[in-house]
Amino acid sequence: MNTPHAPEPLNPEALLPAVEPEDADRAGFYGLIAHLMSQAPSRDTLGAISRSPALEADPQLPEAVALAEAWNALRRACHSMTEAQVAVEWSDLFAGTGRPAVLPYASYYLTGFLMEKPLAELRDTLAELGLQREAGNGEPEDHLAGVCEVMRRLIERGDWAAQPRFYERHMQPWVSRCCTELSSLSSARFYAVLADFAHAFFQWEARVLGYDQ
């Protein structure tokens, strides 16, 4: 199986020796999605993504082809938009006054409200895994960036048993819906492209982890 090659993580940490290159690539994509969802990217970040190589995918694997196409679209978006344009869009979508246009939280997508049972269940799982929210991060743990960061950490520490369980319980039920909604917003340009990329990556992850979205 030919796995699309991910760019280097934006803030790489030392990977455990047991992590295979393909898993390091997966961790890199999770870290990238988490970074871009949690804050507006800097000019350097946009430049680094735009200069990253295109992905090569096995044409016999539809999920790999879709991921490669979505990655190339994200590269083009990073090249065509300025730091200021993306910053304004991020603020309008996720941090505007009043109710933001997008609420990328598991609790919202699964219950219609924030800070509900899915968040409590996620916190229980994080405690079992020995993970906790980073100091200074005021976002609830069920933010899309937060669950992507958890998957990145599970991959980097080589915890293959926990990865499919975590993804199936805390991501699969809602992340595709979140990406679809974000992609459809007329006010989203850069983040619509990111949403398409994230959705394609999650489809690829479903294959890697052994089940369909």
Side-chain angles (χ1 to χ4, degrees):
M1 180 184 299
N2 293 332
T3 303
H5 181 72
E8 290 296 320
L10 295 173
N11 295 300
E13 298 176 359
L15 301 182
L16 296 176
V19 176
E20 298 294 333
E22 289 187 358
D23 292 327
D25 292 340
R26 293 172 55 227
F29 279 136
Y30 273 115
L32 182 68
I33 295 168
H35 182 85
L36 295 177
M37 286 296 298
S38 64
Q39 59 188 292
S42 67
R43 180 178 61 182
D44 289 343
T45 297
L46 293 173
I49 297 171
S50 69
R51 293 189 298 272
S52 295
L55 301 182
E56 295 183 2
D58 185 340
Q60 301 302 314
L61 299 176
E63 298 92 345
V65 172
L67 179 57
E69 292 174 348
W71 170 246
N72 290 335
L74 182 60
R75 291 169 58 235
R76 291 192 296 270
C78 289
H79 177 74
S80 65
M81 295 189 68
T82 67
E83 177 183 15
Q85 288 174 322
V86 179
V88 169
E89 184 177 317
W90 185 91
S91 180
D92 289 344
L93 291 172
F94 305 111
T97 57
R99 183 183 182 279
V102 181
L103 295 170
Y105 304 94
S107 291
Y108 174 74
Y109 277 93
L110 297 178
T111 72
F113 300 94
L114 299 176
M115 310 289 284
E116 290 291 334
K117 185 177 180 181
L119 175 58
E121 293 176 344
L122 174 59
R123 286 173 172 169
D124 288 342
T125 298
L126 294 179
E128 294 170 1
L129 294 171
L131 299 174
Q132 60 183 355
R133 181 170 55 188
E134 293 183 356
N137 184 355
E139 287 286 1
E141 294 88 333
D142 63 341
H143 190 285
L144 180 59
V147 293
C148 284
E149 181 64 15
V150 171
M151 282 295 294
R152 182 185 71 83
R153 294 187 187 186
L154 293 178
I155 295 168
E156 289 186 349
R157 74 187 195 186
D159 195 339
W160 257 104
Q163 290 170 46
R165 291 199 301 266
F166 184 88
Y167 188 91
E168 184 174 17
R169 183 176 184 185
H170 298 294
M171 296 187 69
Q172 188 185 23
W174 69 280
V175 292
S176 289
R177 289 168 52 202
C178 178
C179 291
T180 298
E181 180 176 334
L182 177 54
S183 178
S184 68
L185 291 176
S186 60
S187 56
R189 181 181 169 192
F190 177 86
Y191 277 93
V193 178
L194 174 63
D196 289 340
F197 168 72
H199 185 264
F201 175 64
F202 297 144
Q203 293 285 341
W204 174 255
E205 274 293 277
R207 183 184 183 95
V208 170
L209 298 173
Y211 50 81
D212 296 327
Q213 283 285 83

